[in-house]
Amino acid sequence: MIFNVITYQTNIQMKKIEPVGFLTFVAVILLLLVLMQSRAHAQSPLDKKLSINLKDEKLKSALDKITSICGTKFTYNEQIALSTIKISVNAKDKSLKDVLSTAFTDKPLQFSILDKEIFIRFAPEKTKKVEADPAANTTQSKEKHTISGTIKSQNTGETLIAATIRVVGTSLATTSNEYGFYSLTLTQGHYRLEVSAIGSKPYKTTIELNKNTNLNISLSDDENLLETVTITSNSSQRNLQSPQMGMERLTISETKEVPVLMGEPDLIKTLQLLPGVKTAGEGNGGMFVRGGSADQNMILLDEAPVYNASHLLGFFSTFNSDAIKNVTLYKSGMPAQYGGGLSSVLDVKMNDGNNQKFGVNGGVGAIAARINVEGPIQKEKSSFLISARRTYVDMFLKLSSDTAINNTQLYFYDVNAKANYILGDKDRLYISGYFGKDVLASDNLSGINWGNATSTLRWNHVFSNKLFSNTSIIFSNYNYKIQSNTDENSLTLFSQIRDWNFKEDMQWYANEKNTISFGFNSIFHTIKPGEVQATGNSGFISQKLQNRFSLENAVYASNTWKASNAFSLTYGLRVSAFSILGSGEYYTIDGSGNVTGSTSYKRGEIVKTYVNLEPRLSAALQVNESTSVKASYVRNVQNLHLISNSNAASPTDRWVASTNIIKPELSDQVSIGYYKNIGNSYELTAETYYKTLKNQIDYRNGADIFTNRPIETQLLFGKGRAYGLELLLKKKAGRLTGWLGYTLSKTERKIDGINNNEWYNARQDKTHDISFVSMYKLSQKWTVSANWVYSTGNAVTFPNGKYKLLGQSYFYFSERNADRMPSYHRLDLGATRLLKQTKKFSSELNFSLYNAYGRKNPFRITFQDSESDPNRTEALRTTLFRFIPSVSYNFKF
């Protein structure tokens, strides 16, 4: 035997990041941020010195005189301006803080810093009785009432998610839930409310609250809003008090300026530009979140699981942007109603359909065309939406004179449909569905097709002004089929996963300090791991692997408690029970992967039940009006597992459920975050996390994924860990918007039987990840954009030697994932030209250039004997995309 050392060196030697060193680094970063904050606080406008003498001066007049002396401005509401409270103070060379503290000693007033101004508000708790002040009427009675209702778009009738309802002049506020419902309990009195939502004009109204009141609010679209790709997250000021962290929310209108492959707007591609979210590879639609693998993301479309969210082997996602209303990604601190994914939850909501007027929009791009039709079934009562998308590469192939080419099928399509009906003031019914399919075939002889189908029936019911209910029946199906036919033989492979799900979610707005969520769901899983149908001399034997059945149940409850104006806490518990059901054979396996016995179970018989507790805890401390610190702990459990041996998503990857041998995967994640609003335009977010994983799955060396033996014989089990620091600086206002994101992270696995039982890099481990995204509004007609990304190469296993046997070369591998692909970087450019815009019609052209400087990023690297010298080894790099221009035309009427 002859052993050669491979001369091609692709790995980039990286100094290993140890957990202790990493945590020390994170501590230093957080300390610097705190010092910066302390310095900023030391330069507060409250430190200004002044001398003033006031005697029985009306409040507004007193504040005006202070402004004229020291230049500090005050912010307050109409009640403060009309207040009859009188101020007396005599100060000489005192700080503004001392002056206001003395002046407000016996008054129901408080002050705090708001950016560079001083915010004045009523604080009725400072006095038991306020004398004849009309602005303080809200404190005269301790009786409380509730304002509740639905917030929707005036233009389309769509309910608005995460709209903010705020009591002007106070810290009291709430947000609408994912169905547009809100509830706010206040003391009886007169209030001024301000309602705002992304993409809508703010709305203000006054209300005399002397009984429980139903107030439905319609917000008009902000036509002057610059359509940018600004991602709104919990670092925005309205969410500084919320304990939720690790959450990113975007609307579809915010993704249209980002240049992407072939000019197709893509939600997944946009999310991959955020810290903590990494791409699975060149052009790939999969994503790795905080060290998790691609299958550890729970992806939901109108509450239905989507088990393969990609088209064309991962180059495009299944989400047609025309049909989507809202996208929320949870990287940590997942609310208790979510379960089933270790690393993240991606909750995608479809548009409801315009119940005000009919509309059509769509576009024609380089490889696909799409159209969206929506309108009222009964105006203001019901609506529908139908959205479709299809690629047409195969239509160009038909122009070829070569029959082998013109008979080739290469396309995918999506169809989204939805309808809803308002049954009354308290009830609303929704039905939605998604159908998507990919076809890759040659002359009807061989090929592969795969697809998803989901449907959701939802009923919203308002039991009272404090209790909201959502009941759902959900269906989800994913399957793939591989076919190879010749004159003499044929081969067909088929696999499927199918779910039926019943779900009940309740929200109880108990009082102004507590919002309680509780519910349950029950999912019946059916998995067909594989069917083989073979004829002739294909070399395969027809067989049908056993179907696997399971029942997954969960109950949950959580409470968000607003302890004070500065401190909030969310705590909850999810209890999941996964029951493996017969019929079928279940095996016992020894340490070498050999079957040593089996037990047969009847249909419906319980093989084993796994019960797991999943606690959730998160807290937020608001340091001041522009800064907060948050922390969270979450345990997640996953009972369905994707068996894959590559980073790139493949339709033939096998889904398996937990068995008597494959245990549920568990993760425990602790996160700490710092959030700072810098002026009115910038936001700074710093989050760090440490995650441990149990019952992780990896292949044995030399495993065969398509074996007819039990899949457990090919697997090994162990643990994992992931830790990292994520930094995000965003500019969210002005002609120039965008963000700069950086992730420093480490992801490792330790599995007995692999790498001498030592820690090794997970396939998705990338030490550094940088993304820079910018959009600039040149004029009313032109918007330009650019994004640049850089990341450390994926961890891979390259051969470090080879031997020859009977003239055939065989490569020798040692440590798992000890090598690196070359670093990845790419620049994308984009521009949008508004062609026409009237009240009834608008159109635009979108131009993009993917990989503008033609970087030869490797898709894969393979090894072979050198033709000139068989004793030497050549490494072959495959590159997919360089200089990919595209143009698309979009319209709406």
Side-chain angles (χ1 to χ4, degrees):
M1 291 188 291
I2 301 174
F3 287 83
N4 289 345
V5 176
I6 290 182
T7 58
Y8 181 86
Q9 186 73 19
T10 60
N11 58 306
I12 300 173
Q13 299 298 326
M14 297 279 181
K15 184 176 180 181
K16 186 174 181 179
I17 304 175
E18 295 294 342
V20 174
F22 169 77
L23 294 176
T24 302
F25 174 72
V26 169
V28 171
I29 293 295
L30 292 178
L31 178 60
L32 289 174
L33 292 172
V34 171
L35 291 175
M36 289 169 59
Q37 176 58 37
S38 300
R39 184 172 180 271
H41 186 70
Q43 298 173 347
S44 164
L46 289 172
D47 294 333
K48 291 185 177 181
K49 302 285 188 177
L50 74 155
S51 298
I52 191 170
N53 184 13
L54 300 174
K55 184 173 180 61
D56 294 330
E57 193 83 29
K58 282 189 176 182
L59 178 58
K60 183 179 183 303
S61 176
L63 296 176
D64 290 341
K65 288 184 177 181
I66 292 174
T67 298
S68 65
I69 293 174
C70 68
T72 299
K73 295 182 179 180
F74 294 91
T75 297
Y76 43 82
N77 64 8
E78 186 178 3
Q79 292 177 340
I80 293 289
L82 298 176
S83 174
T84 59
I85 293 178
K86 295 182 178 180
I87 299 297
S88 297
V89 63
N90 186 8
K92 185 175 182 180
D93 197 28
K94 295 289 186 181
S95 69
L96 179 56
K97 180 179 180 181
D98 291 339
V99 171
L100 294 178
S101 297
T102 301
F104 293 172
T105 298
D106 58 347
K107 302 295 188 291
L109 300 169
Q110 280 188 346
F111 62 91
S112 58
I113 299 175
L114 182 61
D115 200 8
K116 296 181 180 180
E117 300 181 352
I118 306 300
F119 177 55
I120 306 296
R121 70 178 184 87
F122 279 107
E125 64 272 13
K126 290 182 59 178
T127 180
K128 294 182 179 180
K129 184 176 180 180
V130 181
E131 299 180 6
D133 185 358
N137 283 341
T138 59
T139 68
Q140 297 298 317
S141 172
K142 292 186 178 181
E143 187 176 355
K144 295 184 177 182
H145 305 289
T146 299
I147 310 169
S148 63
T150 300
I151 301 177
K152 61 183 180 179
S153 166
Q154 186 179 73
N155 299 60
T156 66
E158 294 266 0
T159 56
L160 298 179
I161 300 172
T164 300
I165 305 91
R166 183 174 64 89
V167 180
V168 178
T170 75
S171 61
L172 298 173
T174 189
T175 58
S176 59
N177 67 10
E178 54 191 305
Y179 309 103
F181 179 80
Y182 76 95
S183 179
L184 183 62
T185 299
L186 301 169
T187 304
Q188 179 173 310
H190 181 80
Y191 294 94
R192 190 178 184 191
L193 303 179
E194 183 178 65
V195 185
S196 59
I198 299 172
S200 300
K201 293 180 180 178
Y203 172 82
K204 293 183 180 180
T205 186
T206 56
I207 183 171
E208 187 68 39
L209 188 63
N210 50 31
K211 63 179 180 179
N212 291 337
T213 302
N214 184 62
L215 181 63
N216 295 323
I217 300 170
S218 297
L219 301 182
S220 59
D221 292 346
D222 189 349
E223 302 295 342
N224 296 320
L225 185 70
L226 296 181
E227 290 189 355
T228 68
V229 196
T230 304
I231 308 284
T232 60
S233 71
N234 56 354
S235 61
S236 60
Q237 185 176 355
R238 62 187 175 87
N239 280 326
L240 286 178
Q241 291 183 329
S242 170
Q244 181 63 59
M245 63 180 299
M247 181 188 76
E248 310 290 351
R249 177 176 283 123
L250 66 140
T251 58
I252 298 307
S253 62
E254 296 170 322
T255 68
K256 296 196 174 176
E257 302 297 335
V258 175
V260 292
L261 182 64
M262 299 297 181
E264 280 293 305
D266 197 307
L267 302 180
I268 302 296
K269 296 292 191 300
T270 304
L271 291 171
Q272 289 172 352
L273 296 171
L274 294 170
V277 184
K278 302 183 180 183
T279 175
E282 177 72 89
N284 198 283
M287 62 181 186
F288 304 135
V289 179
R290 291 193 171 178
S293 55
D295 70 308
Q296 292 174 349
N297 306 307
M298 174 55 69
I299 301 176
L300 305 172
L301 178 61
D302 268 6
E303 303 181 22
V306 178
Y307 287 105
N308 188 334
S310 62
H311 286 303
L312 288 184
L313 303 176
F315 294 115
F316 302 95
S317 76
T318 59
F319 302 115
N320 180 356
S321 59
D322 291 337
I324 306 303
K325 172 167 66 174
N326 184 271
V327 179
T328 305
L329 175 69
Y330 297 93
K331 299 182 291 184
S332 65
M334 296 80 172
Q337 64 262 36
Y338 295 110
L342 286 195
S343 293
S344 75
V345 175
L346 179 59
D347 193 355
V348 182
K349 300 294 185 186
M350 288 172 53
N351 283 320
D352 300 328
N354 193 323
N355 67 10
Q356 301 296 312
K357 60 182 180 180
F358 286 95
V360 178
N361 64 282
V364 179
I367 66 165
R370 64 189 192 277
I371 189 167
N372 181 76
V373 181
E374 59 183 330
I377 300 173
Q378 182 181 355
K379 189 172 182 179
E380 297 186 352
K381 284 287 187 180
S382 58
S383 63
F384 75 93
L385 174 142
I386 299 175
S387 188
R389 176 177 61 162
R390 191 191 191 278
T391 57
Y392 37 69
V393 175
D394 56 321
M395 297 181 183
F396 292 109
L397 296 178
K398 293 183 182 300
L399 301 176
S400 173
S401 58
D402 188 334
T403 56
I405 296 178
N406 60 34
N407 287 326
T408 297
Q409 294 179 292
L410 175 60
Y411 66 89
F412 72 79
Y413 68 82
D414 295 306
V415 177
N416 296 77
K418 191 168 184 177
N420 73 92
Y421 193 84
I422 300 175
L423 302 175
D425 293 337
K426 296 185 176 183
D427 298 277
R428 189 165 186 170
L429 194 66
Y430 302 82
I431 183 169
S432 61
Y434 166 81
F435 311 93
K437 189 175 183 179
D438 284 69
V439 176
L440 302 175
S442 176
D443 201 21
N444 295 321
L445 295 178
S446 61
I448 177 173
N449 64 74
W450 68 95
N452 295 279
T454 70
S455 60
T456 305
L457 176 64
R458 288 191 331 221
W459 170 43
N460 288 174
H461 179 67
V462 180
F463 284 97
S464 70
N465 52 22
K466 292 188 175 185
L467 185 60
F468 178 89
S469 163
N470 176 67
T471 306
S472 304
I473 299 174
I474 305 162
F475 171 79
S476 178
N477 181 83
Y478 169 71
N479 62 65
Y480 71 81
K481 184 178 181 181
I482 302 174
Q483 192 170 2
S484 178
N485 298 319
T486 66
D487 294 336
E488 297 180 355
N489 54 63
S490 66
L491 173 67
T492 301
L493 304 177
F494 178 79
S495 183
Q496 180 185 57
I497 178 171
R498 175 176 291 180
D499 293 344
W500 285 98
N501 183 2
F502 179 74
K503 186 167 173 277
E504 176 65 42
D505 299 301
M506 307 282 285
Q507 285 182 301
W508 177 32
Y509 300 82
N511 51 49
E512 68 272 21
K513 291 186 178 293
N514 294 275
T515 301
I516 300 171
S517 300
F518 58 95
F520 69 90
N521 75 291
S522 183
I523 309 173
F524 183 73
H525 302 286
T526 302
I527 297 179
K528 293 184 178 181
E531 295 181 5
V532 179
Q533 297 178 1
T535 62
N537 299 318
S538 62
F540 288 84
I541 300 175
S542 294
Q543 61 175 318
K544 181 179 180 181
L545 300 180
Q546 299 178 78
N547 291 347
R548 295 304 193 189
F549 305 96
S550 54
L551 183 64
E552 186 170 9
N553 296 299
V555 295
Y556 73 89
S558 68
N559 179 38
T560 297
W561 173 45
K562 187 175 181 180
S564 68
N565 290 338
F567 182 72
S568 298
L569 182 71
T570 296
Y571 54 91
L573 178 66
R574 180 181 179 90
V575 182
S576 61
F578 188 84
S579 298
I580 307 162
L581 306 177
S583 58
E585 298 283 331
Y586 286 83
Y587 306 93
T588 55
I589 295 174
D590 64 19
S592 300
N594 300 312
V595 176
T596 59
S598 65
T599 304
S600 181
Y601 293 87
K602 297 179 181 178
R603 184 175 181 84
E605 189 176 357
I606 296 178
V607 178
K608 188 178 181 66
T609 297
Y610 294 99
V611 178
N612 285 288
L613 303 180
E614 304 176 45
R616 313 287 167 95
L617 179 65
S618 57
L621 176 64
Q622 187 165 359
V623 179
N624 55 41
E625 267 36 341
S626 63
T627 309
S628 70
V629 179
K630 303 184 184 185
S632 73
Y633 163 75
V634 60
R635 165 169 283 194
N636 286 310
V637 176
Q638 182 167 328
N639 289 290
L640 299 183
H641 323 279
L642 187 66
I643 309 301
S644 174
N645 60 0
S646 68
N647 275 340
S650 169
T652 58
D653 293 339
R654 288 181 61 177
W655 282 97
V656 298
S658 296
T659 67
N660 58 319
I661 295 174
I662 303 175
K663 297 180 181 180
E665 298 176 75
L666 283 79
S667 73
D668 293 277
Q669 181 181 179
V670 177
S671 304
I672 301 174
Y674 173 91
Y675 309 87
K676 174 71 176 177
N677 289 328
I678 306 171
N680 296 321
S681 300
Y682 293 91
E683 296 175 353
L684 174 65
T685 301
E687 291 188 359
T688 184
Y689 65 92
Y690 191 94
K691 182 192 299 184
T692 60
L693 303 103
K694 299 178 181 178
N695 303 327
Q696 296 302 283
I697 303 171
D698 210 333
Y699 275 112
R700 295 177 181 271
N701 291 325
D704 179 10
I705 188 174
F706 295 109
T707 180
N708 57 3
R709 301 173 62 201
I711 189 64
E712 293 91 336
T713 63
Q714 307 299 306
L715 305 177
L716 294 172
F717 308 95
K719 60 184 179 180
R721 65 187 180 194
Y723 44 94
L725 171 69
E726 300 167 4
L727 301 175
L728 179 64
L729 177 65
K730 297 192 299 180
K731 186 177 187 296
K732 60 178 185 176
R735 297 179 68 179
L736 175 66
T737 57
W739 68 85
L740 174 64
Y742 171 70
T743 304
L744 172 68
S745 63
K746 188 66 180 175
T747 305
E748 297 175 299
R749 298 290 184 265
K750 185 178 182 181
I751 295 179
D752 291 342
I754 297 178
N755 200 46
N756 297 318
N757 302 333
E758 298 292 333
W759 287 100
Y760 63 93
N761 297 324
R763 292 194 303 268
Q764 61 270 27
D765 177 56
K766 294 183 179 181
T767 308
H768 304 283
D769 191 272
I770 302 172
S771 60
F772 175 72
V773 180
S774 63
M775 288 72 59
Y776 186 71
K777 187 82 171 179
L778 283 174
S779 65
Q780 293 299 319
K781 296 287 187 179
W782 281 98
T783 301
V784 294
S785 59
N787 56 264
W788 182 79
V789 295
Y790 169 89
S791 67
T792 305
N794 288 330
V796 293
T797 305
F798 289 149
N800 58 358
K802 70 178 179 180
Y803 62 92
K804 287 190 175 182
L805 183 63
L806 300 177
Q808 180 70 37
S809 293
Y810 296 90
F811 289 103
Y812 174 77
F813 300 86
S814 56
E815 292 186 32
R816 179 76 64 93
N817 297 337
D819 300 287
R820 290 278 177 187
M821 295 286 279
S823 296
Y824 180 98
H825 54 89
R826 189 190 76 242
L827 172 68
D828 304 329
L829 303 174
T832 300
R833 172 68 159 87
L834 181 64
L835 300 177
K836 186 175 183 179
Q837 185 170 31
T838 65
K839 290 185 177 181
K840 294 185 177 181
F841 180 80
S842 66
S843 62
E844 65 181 24
L845 279 176
N846 180 274
F847 306 91
S848 67
L849 179 59
Y850 184 86
N851 197 0
Y853 54 73
R855 162 75 173 177
K856 293 183 178 180
N857 290 303
F859 178 68
R860 65 170 176 260
I861 294 177
T862 57
F863 299 84
Q864 67 180 26
D865 291 340
S866 171
E867 292 184 1
S868 59
D869 182 2
N871 290 326
R872 294 184 61 83
T873 300
E874 294 179 340
L876 301 180
R877 177 192 297 208
T878 301
T879 298
L880 291 182
F881 304 116
R882 298 183 66 204
F883 309 113
I884 304 296
S886 64
V887 59
S888 60
Y889 171 76
N890 302 310
F891 62 89
K892 183 177 181 180
F893 60 86

